[in-house]
Amino acid sequence: MLAHTYFGTNRLKNMKLLELKQKVINKILLIKAITIYTFQQETAYWANTWAHVLSTFFYMLSMILFIDVVYSNVNLVAGYTKNEMLLFLLMAQATYYLSWTIYGNLIDLVENVNNGNLDLVLVKPISSLFYITFRRIRLFRVAMDGIPPLIFLALAINWSALNISFLPLLIGIIISVMGTVCSLSFHLLATLPVFWVGESRNIVEFTSHFEYNVGKIIPLEGYGKDFKFFFSTIFPFLISTGFSTSVILGKSEPLPTLLWGLTVTILMLTVRQFAWNKALKVYTSASS
Amino acid sequence: MVVNVKNLTKVYKVKKTAGFLKDTFYPTFGEVLAVNNISFSIEKGESVALLGPNGAGKTTTMKVLTGLIYPTSGNINVLDFFPFDRKREFLKKIGLVMGNKTSLEWDLTPMQSFQLNKRIYNISESKFNLKIKELSELLSVEKLLNTQVRKLSLGERMKMELISSIIHNPDVLFLDEPTIGLDIISKQKIRDFLREIQRNSEVTILLTSHDMDDVEKVTDRVIVVNEGSIIFDDSMSKLLYKYKNKKYLTLIFTEKVKSFKVKRFGKIVDKKPLSYTIEIKAEEQPKIIAEITEKLPIDDIDIIHVPLEEIIADMFNSSRKILN
C-alpha cells in the first residue's frame, strides 16, 4: 500500500516535471519563432537598415572622441581611468543594445492599446505579458546596429591595462542582464498609464532618457550614497551598467552586488506582473 | 451549452471635460451603461447574430465573451470558463475576427504570420499544412499565401484574417463585422465559407454585423440589442414571420411617373428616377400588380420580402417608443 502510494506520488512528480519541461521547451520554440518572424520583418526593407547602421557607428565614434578630449586634461573621472571609462562605455552600449532588442514592443503596446489591436494579442493562448514583452525580438537589427560600433569600441580599449578576472567578469555580465530586465520592467510600468489615461509615449520617452543619463553616462562611483541607493531601488537604472562595470573592474564586491541586483530584479518583475494585471482589468478596448 | 450569460452588465468610466486645470488636477468621471443586465445562452454548433445600432452594446458583449474586457457584473461562462481569466485552454478554443483590425503583419506574407500562429497554437506540421490547404482552397486564396500582406486587396486580406483566426480549429468563432468594406463577391465568398465551416465542423458562431445579408446568410438565430438591453432573441424565421404579411414591390417604369400616381398602390419606401419601391399587404399582391400593369408604364416588377434592415429598424423604433 505504502509502496503503491510512493510510486503514485513519484509518477505525479515525474508528470509535473515533464509538463514543466514541455512548457519551457514551448516557450523557447516560441521565442525562436518570434525571432525568425522579426528577422523577416527587419529584412523586408534593406536600405533603411543600412542608414541606421551608419548613424550608430558615427555616434560611437563621437563618444570615443569625447572621452579622449576629457582625459587629455585629467587622469581620473569618478575614480575611472580612460581605459576603465571606455569599458564602462562598452558595457553601457552593450546593455543599451540588449534592451533595444525588445524595447520597441513597449511603444507598440501604447499604439495597440489606443487602436484596439491589443485585442488580437490578448486572445492568443500564451501569457499576454510574455507576448507583449517578446512580440518582436529585433536581434538582427540590433546586431547590425550594435556589433560594428561595439567591436570598434572594444578595439579602442587597452585590455592588458585592465585587471579583470573570470569570476567578477561572469558575475558582472549576469548583473548587467538582470539590470536590463529591471530597466525594461520599469519602462513597462511607465507604459501602463496608457490603460488609464489613453497615452503614455512621453512618459516612456522620459524614463528612457532618464535611464540613459543616470545609468549610461556616469559610473557608479560617481554617485553619493543616497543617489546610489535611490538609483538602484526605486529607479533601478544603475544596475545594468554601473553595478556590472564596478564588479568587473573589482571596485565592488561581486556577491553582495549580485544579491542586490537579484533582489531588485525579483521585486521589479513582481511589481510588473501586478501592475499588468491591474491594467488589463481597466482595459476598455478601442471601439470597433 | 457553449455560451451562458446571466445578468451581464458593463459600465464604462468616462472622463468628463471640465477645463484644463480641473481635468489635470481633479479629473471627474461619469458612467456610461454599455450593457444592461442581459442574459442569453448559445448551444454548440449554433450560429447567432448579435444585432443593434452603433453603441447598442453588441461589441462590448462580444469583448466580454472573448475575455478582452472585464464585466462590471453578471455570470459569464464560455466553454466552461470565465473568459477574463484568459486560461490557455480557453483561448485555444476560441477564434476572433475583427473586420477593422488586422492580426497579419503588413510587411510579411500571410504564410509567415500563419507560421507564427502554428507555433503559438502548437499545431503539428502535417495538420498545419492540411488546414492551410483546405482553408485557402475554400476561400480561393491559395496563390496569395506568399504575397506580402500590403499588396493584397481588402477582401483578400480579410480572407487571410479568417484563415489566421481558425487555423487552430476553434470551437467558438467570434466575428465582429467580418465583411465591413468588402465588395459583394468577397462578401459572398466569406459568407459561404462561414456557413460551410459552421455546418461541417460544428463551430459555434457569434456574429455582429451591420450588413443584414451577412446575418441572413450566416446565422440561424438573432439577438437584437438596443441601448444595452435585449429586445429580441429568437430564430431568424420567427423574426421574418412577424413581417410575412408585408411585401415590397420594386416597380421599374419605361418613363418618369409622378409619385402621387404610385402612392395610390402602397407606401413609397424608396424612390429613384425610373423606379419606386412600395410597401403592400401580402394578400393584396396579385390585385395590385394587375392594377399597376394596367395603369402605369411598367417595364419590370420585382417582388421582395421586407428587408431585414427594415425589420430591425422597425424593432428599434418600437422599443424606443416603449422606453419613452
Side-chain angles (χ1 to χ4, degrees):
Chain A
M1 181 70 183
L2 266 175
H4 182 76
T5 318
Y6 172 76
F7 286 118
T9 320
N10 246 8
R11 190 189 289 170
L12 200 72
K13 266 186 189 167
N14 282 341
M15 273 173 67
K16 277 192 175 163
L17 265 177
L18 271 175
E19 218 171 85
L20 184 72
K21 192 180 154 193
Q22 196 53 49
K23 268 187 185 170
V24 173
I25 290 172
N26 277 346
K27 277 222 163 127
I28 293 169
L29 288 174
L30 186 60
I31 286 182
K32 185 183 155 200
I34 288 171
T35 311
I36 294 169
Y37 189 64
T38 318
F39 172 77
Q40 288 163 338
Q41 286 174 300
E42 288 171 321
T43 49
Y45 300 100
W46 276 97
N48 188 44
T49 310
W50 282 109
H52 209 251
V53 173
L54 278 177
S55 108
T56 53
F57 188 78
F58 281 110
Y59 169 77
M60 188 61 73
L61 197 65
S62 68
M63 281 304 285
I64 292 172
L65 272 173
F66 173 69
I67 288 174
D68 206 47
V69 170
V70 170
Y71 279 93
S72 62
N73 293 317
V74 290
N75 292 325
L76 289 174
V77 173
Y80 278 54
T81 63
K82 183 184 166 189
N83 246 336
E84 288 172 337
M85 192 57 90
L86 284 173
L87 180 74
F88 176 78
L89 183 63
L90 179 71
M91 288 301 290
Q93 290 302 307
T95 49
Y96 172 81
Y97 287 120
L98 180 65
S99 65
W100 265 89
T101 52
I102 55 172
Y103 177 82
N105 295 334
L106 298 177
I107 304 300
D108 289 350
L109 175 64
V110 178
E111 274 170 26
N112 287 169
V113 171
N114 281 331
N115 61 25
N117 273 341
L118 186 67
D119 293 358
L120 300 167
V121 171
L122 294 178
V123 291
K124 303 265 185 225
I126 42 176
S127 151
S128 53
L129 186 52
F130 173 84
Y131 192 54
I132 62 121
T133 308
F134 294 107
R135 191 149 44 129
R136 308 261 184 283
I137 304 172
R138 296 166 172 89
L139 264 190
F140 173 75
R141 179 67 184 267
V142 167
M144 283 278 286
D145 288 357
I147 288 176
L150 286 179
I151 290 174
F152 187 65
L153 186 55
L155 289 174
I157 298 172
N158 178 9
W159 292 93
S160 59
L162 295 171
N163 186 18
I164 299 172
S165 43
F166 177 71
L167 194 63
L169 176 69
L170 182 69
I171 292 176
I173 291 170
I174 295 170
I175 291 172
S176 73
V177 173
M178 289 192 312
T180 308
V181 172
C182 283
S183 299
L184 285 168
S185 301
F186 189 87
H187 297 317
L188 178 81
L189 294 177
T191 311
L192 297 184
V194 68
F195 285 88
W196 283 271
V197 297
E199 185 52 88
S200 62
R201 253 170 285 216
N202 289 345
I203 307 174
V204 188
E205 205 171 303
F206 165 70
T207 59
S208 304
H209 286 307
F210 192 31
E211 185 202 353
Y212 193 84
N213 292 330
V214 166
K216 312 267 185 230
I217 294 178
I218 307 162
L220 181 69
E221 286 71 11
Y223 289 96
K225 201 177 162 194
D226 293 341
F227 275 121
K228 265 188 204 170
F229 180 78
F230 191 64
F231 290 133
S232 60
T233 49
I234 300 162
F235 295 98
F237 298 144
L238 283 184
I239 298 171
S240 68
T241 309
F243 275 31
S244 58
T245 314
S246 186
V247 166
I248 290 170
L249 291 172
K251 292 175 190 284
S252 294
E253 282 297 318
L255 287 176
T257 316
L258 177 72
L259 203 65
W260 185 258
L262 184 67
T263 310
V264 177
T265 307
I266 292 169
L267 272 172
M268 284 307 294
L269 288 174
T270 312
V271 172
R272 185 183 81 130
Q273 183 68 57
F274 176 78
W276 177 248
N277 292 344
K278 285 268 170 210
L280 285 185
K281 230 169 174 180
V282 298
Y283 178 54
T284 50
S285 169
S287 189
S288 56
Chain B
M1 203 83 74
V2 169
V3 176
N4 197 6
V5 176
K6 274 188 189 156
N7 311 112
L8 166 65
T9 296
K10 177 68 193 176
V11 178
Y12 286 117
K13 267 191 172 178
V14 183
K15 200 175 171 188
K16 283 181 180 171
T17 312
F20 177 75
L21 282 176
K22 228 178 173 187
D23 282 352
T24 311
F25 298 105
Y26 304 104
T28 47
F29 294 88
E31 288 188 339
V32 173
L33 183 65
V35 180
N36 184 14
N37 202 31
I38 65 169
S39 302
F40 63 91
S41 54
I42 300 173
E43 298 284 346
K44 184 177 164 57
E46 264 194 289
S47 183
V48 180
L50 205 54
L51 302 183
N54 289 330
K58 52 191 194 307
T59 302
T60 301
T61 305
M62 191 170 269
K63 284 177 179 173
V64 170
L65 296 181
T66 46
L68 293 174
I69 52 177
Y70 195 78
T72 307
S73 65
N75 288 322
I76 295 96
N77 185 309
V78 179
L79 296 160
D80 294 327
F81 291 94
F82 173 56
F84 191 78
D85 287 342
R86 284 203 202 96
K87 299 264 186 226
R88 269 166 228 194
E89 295 74 24
F90 166 70
L91 296 172
K92 275 187 179 179
K93 289 179 180 173
I94 65 161
L96 173 67
V97 178
M98 300 180 119
N100 53 359
K101 289 172 190 168
T102 178
S103 67
L104 300 171
E105 194 55 51
W106 201 243
D107 295 326
L108 300 184
T109 67
M111 193 52 142
Q112 287 170 321
S113 290
F114 299 158
Q115 288 282 355
L116 182 65
N117 273 358
K118 180 187 116 190
R119 173 48 54 204
I120 288 173
Y121 288 98
N122 220 354
I123 308 166
S124 73
E125 189 73 32
S126 54
K127 273 188 187 168
F128 173 78
N129 291 336
L130 213 68
K131 197 76 191 170
I132 292 286
K133 189 173 182 299
E134 179 202 334
L135 297 176
S136 59
E137 277 174 9
L138 264 173
L139 286 163
S140 316
V141 287
E142 56 277 45
K143 284 180 186 153
L144 300 168
L145 289 169
N146 292 310
T147 306
Q148 216 179 15
V149 171
R150 65 161 74 239
K151 289 174 187 158
L152 300 176
S153 71
L154 184 62
E156 290 163 348
R157 218 170 67 219
M158 189 43 70
K159 287 173 190 169
M160 296 300 184
E161 288 286 347
L162 268 172
I163 295 178
S164 173
S165 63
I166 57 173
I167 205 166
H168 57 290
N169 281 329
D171 291 344
V172 189
L173 184 58
F174 296 93
L175 302 151
D176 189 15
E177 303 280 359
T179 63
I180 196 164
L182 304 189
D183 63 82
I184 200 143
I185 296 161
S186 299
K187 278 183 180 183
Q188 195 49 52
K189 194 86 192 167
I190 286 174
R191 286 169 193 147
D192 293 345
F193 171 79
L194 290 171
R195 246 325 182 202
E196 183 140 348
I197 60 155
Q198 189 247 335
R199 281 180 183 146
N200 294 345
S201 325
E202 280 217 326
V203 178
T204 307
I205 289 180
L206 184 61
L207 165 105
T208 73
S209 181
H210 283 104
D211 190 324
M212 290 306 134
D213 283 339
D214 285 356
V215 177
E216 270 190 275
K217 290 184 179 130
V218 177
T219 63
D220 307 306
R221 182 180 149 199
V222 179
I223 297 174
V224 184
V225 188
N226 196 21
E227 294 176 2
S229 305
I230 291 178
I231 56 170
F232 180 88
D233 178 3
D234 216 319
S235 66
M236 178 69 83
S237 50
K238 272 201 184 155
L239 181 68
L240 298 172
Y241 182 81
K242 283 176 79 177
Y243 292 81
K244 75 174 176 53
N245 60 344
K246 277 187 190 171
K247 282 275 166 74
Y248 276 16
L249 294 185
T250 299
L251 314 168
I252 299 155
F253 300 113
T254 51
E255 58 191 69
K256 278 190 178 176
V257 176
K258 294 247 163 98
S259 55
F260 74 89
K261 286 184 179 173
V262 181
K263 220 185 263 178
R264 290 168 41 209
F265 300 102
K267 185 182 153 196
I268 297 171
V269 289
D270 191 30
K271 185 183 164 186
K272 287 189 181 107
L274 280 177
S275 83
Y276 285 87
T277 301
I278 58 169
E279 185 188 302
I280 59 161
K281 283 184 181 164
E283 68 266 21
E284 291 176 354
Q285 182 191 313
K287 193 183 101 194
I288 290 177
I289 290 178
E291 271 185 53
I292 288 173
T293 321
E294 193 189 318
K295 291 176 181 164
L296 298 173
I298 203 85
D299 185 32
D300 196 10
I301 298 179
D302 197 7
I303 308 159
I304 48 173
H305 293 288
V306 180
L308 201 49
E309 283 95 337
E310 303 288 333
I311 297 175
I312 301 293
D314 189 43
M315 205 172 266
F316 291 148
N317 289 335
S318 312
S319 78
R320 205 162 285 150
K321 273 176 201 161
I322 291 165
L323 284 170
N324 290 335

